[in-house]
Amino acid sequence: MWSNLDDLNRLQWLCAMYQAFYENLDPKYRPLIREKLFWSFRDLADESFTAGQPGEVRACLRECLRRSGPLEHLRVKAWLAFKGYCWWIFPIWRRLRRNWRSVKE
């Protein structure tokens, strides 16, 4: 069943699995699981961005903020915030680059 899922669904299941581990395992494992949750939500945000779902990227960003300290992974969280809230810049940037390349040729 796992291998038939696309990347987006697989990452959603992975996040749910880590969340269940976090809630049900011994608290001594929580720091490690919290870190895994952070990176799993970051991967899910990247995949959601590729799928054109900025709302899901913002939801993943909120989860990443919950799973890390205020000064941990600042660069990653800033990039997710940019992708989630300024997603409209990327198509414009691609179009400008394409036009610039055609002018240069």
Side-chain angles (χ1 to χ4, degrees):
M1 183 175 129
W2 181 263
S3 62
N4 290 334
L5 295 175
D6 63 347
D7 289 339
L8 192 60
N9 287 328
R10 191 175 301 126
L11 286 167
Q12 288 171 340
W13 277 94
L14 187 65
C15 290
M17 181 185 68
Y18 281 134
Q19 183 64 37
F21 287 163
Y22 186 83
E23 293 169 359
N24 296 309
L25 289 179
D26 191 354
K28 70 180 181 181
Y29 299 114
R30 285 190 174 168
L32 177 63
I33 297 170
R34 186 178 66 101
E35 187 73 16
K36 286 291 198 179
L37 268 168
F38 175 85
W39 291 109
S40 296
F41 276 110
R42 194 278 315 222
D43 292 342
L44 180 59
D46 284 343
E47 197 63 37
S48 298
F49 178 77
T50 302
Q53 300 173 350
E56 184 67 26
V57 175
R58 291 189 292 270
C60 291
L61 170 64
R62 286 189 293 276
E63 288 296 326
C64 284
L65 291 171
R66 286 182 53 214
R67 307 291 181 215
S68 63
L71 299 177
E72 291 178 315
H73 312 296
L74 287 176
R75 195 173 77 184
V76 172
K77 292 186 284 191
W79 185 239
L80 286 180
F82 187 71
K83 283 181 165 183
Y85 290 97
C86 299
W87 58 269
W88 49 270
I89 289 176
F90 290 91
I92 294 170
W93 177 252
R94 283 186 210 106
R95 190 174 307 128
L96 287 173
R97 282 182 42 203
R98 198 175 318 122
N99 290 342
W100 177 255
R101 286 180 186 155
S102 65
V103 168
K104 285 176 72 175
E105 295 172 354

